Amino acid sequence: MTAVLEVKEVSKVYGAGAGKVVAVDAVTLGLSKGEVLLIMGPSGSGKTTLLSIMGCILRPTSGEVRVAGKMVTTLGEEELPDIRKNHIGFVFQAFNLFPSLTAAENVELVLRLKGYDRKKIKAQALELLDKVGLVKRAGLYPADLSGGEKQRTSFARALAGDPPIILADEPTANLDSRTGREVLTLLRTLAEAAGKAIAIVSHDPKAEELAHRVVFLEDGRLKT
Ligand SMILES: Nc1ncnc2c1ncn2[C@@H]1O[C@H](COP(=O)(O)OP(=O)(O)O)[C@@H](O)[C@H]1O
Ligand SMILES: [Mg+2]
């Protein structure tokens, strides 16, 4: 199967001289439509750095990144936001919701930033919240949502614009076990029913059960 996201020999070096850290070391990896790929590894092994490179949030020091067959490593800074907007939804561990906006408004904000037609945004936000099973809670503020509901809201936001690739960094780290399983099941459904290509970073044994494929990072290197 052809990968919708490919990294080839990517490395990331932070700092220089004695304080230099090789966070990701010559990693080659592909992510295909319809799969949930789990990236595991101890703390500090480079998982967040690798996921950020895959999400075009961070540039590698060396190596290539291709999104939908297009080489992005050679693109200018001004072209990267479009690649992210059209291809990638990112879910963060800490949810990153705006506390003063309702769940629906949090999603609407992203749709607005992505340049969607203002008249359609309210309906689209509700549609996205419906996809993650949260439409009934759309009018609530983050403080009134459970951890799982907050994480679902951040998934709804990541789905805005229907990106083919979803990347999630420790999406269950702040959730209880049952809610974590719900969120992981949702990811698997998004891969299998909607054909999304999904990569998640997690230590969660439940993620291992639900993923189609697991890779391990150690000191920035992919273990085989
Ligand atoms: N912005 C940064 N500047 C310097 N070092 C960093 C930075 N981000 C991460 N690192 C270092 O890179 C290594 C990998 O970090 P990270 O990708 O966050 O690993 P993980 O997500 O697996 O815990 C660690 O040694 C970490 O201290
Ligand atoms: Mg991390």
Side-chain angles (χ1 to χ4, degrees):
M1 211 193 290
T2 51
V4 291
L5 176 59
E6 290 173 276
V7 297
K8 198 170 161 199
E9 291 282 311
V10 289
S11 295
K12 179 71 188 180
V13 181
Y14 292 114
K20 181 174 118 170
V21 176
V22 183
V24 171
D25 193 358
V27 169
T28 296
L29 193 60
L31 180 65
S32 301
K33 192 174 150 59
E35 79 166 335
V36 177
L37 169 73
L38 171 63
I39 301 169
M40 296 188 92
S43 179
S45 59
K47 304 180 299 297
T48 294
T49 302
L50 177 60
L51 203 69
S52 305
I53 291 170
M54 291 166 77
C56 305
I57 293 171
L58 185 71
R59 280 182 186 277
T61 309
S62 60
E64 297 174 354
V65 180
R66 276 194 180 76
V67 175
K70 187 181 164 84
M71 174 86 86
V72 299
T73 5
T74 49
L75 294 180
E77 217 46 64
E78 69 291 349
E79 294 174 278
L80 286 181
D82 260 1
I83 298 284
R84 289 196 292 264
K85 176 181 133 185
N86 296 328
H87 296 276
I88 297 159
F90 212 99
V91 177
F92 300 91
Q93 173 179 345
F95 315 138
N96 290 3
L97 299 177
F98 288 99
S100 61
L101 300 179
T102 64
E105 288 164 351
N106 265 283
V107 181
E108 287 167 22
L109 177 66
V110 173
L111 289 165
R112 213 173 301 149
L113 292 174
K114 290 197 171 191
Y116 284 86
D117 183 350
R118 283 173 167 270
K119 283 179 264 166
K120 295 186 185 152
I121 279 176
K122 277 199 190 306
Q124 277 175 327
L126 290 179
E127 212 173 285
L128 290 165
L129 286 166
D130 193 32
K131 276 197 185 142
V132 299
L134 208 64
V135 74
K136 288 198 179 116
R137 314 283 281 168
L140 298 184
Y141 289 91
D144 299 318
L145 297 172
S146 68
E149 290 170 339
K150 280 190 269 226
Q151 192 56 294
R152 280 168 187 268
T153 307
S154 64
F155 275 110
R157 214 172 39 173
L159 290 169
D162 206 19
I165 300 163
I166 305 280
L167 305 176
D169 195 0
E170 310 211 22
T172 65
N174 292 320
L175 303 178
D176 63 63
S177 158
R178 189 178 58 87
T179 315
R181 185 179 294 278
E182 275 172 30
V183 164
L184 291 166
T185 305
L186 170 66
L187 280 175
R188 174 119 179 175
T189 307
L190 287 170
E192 292 182 350
K196 304 286 181 196
I198 300 179
I200 67 174
V201 161
S202 181
H203 303 288
D204 193 334
K206 293 187 296 300
E208 243 181 306
E209 282 170 39
L210 278 160
H212 298 101
R213 186 157 64 100
V214 185
V215 296
F216 292 89
L217 267 185
E218 200 172 86
D219 298 329
R221 288 186 156 268
L222 218 51
K223 281 208 307 191
T224 45

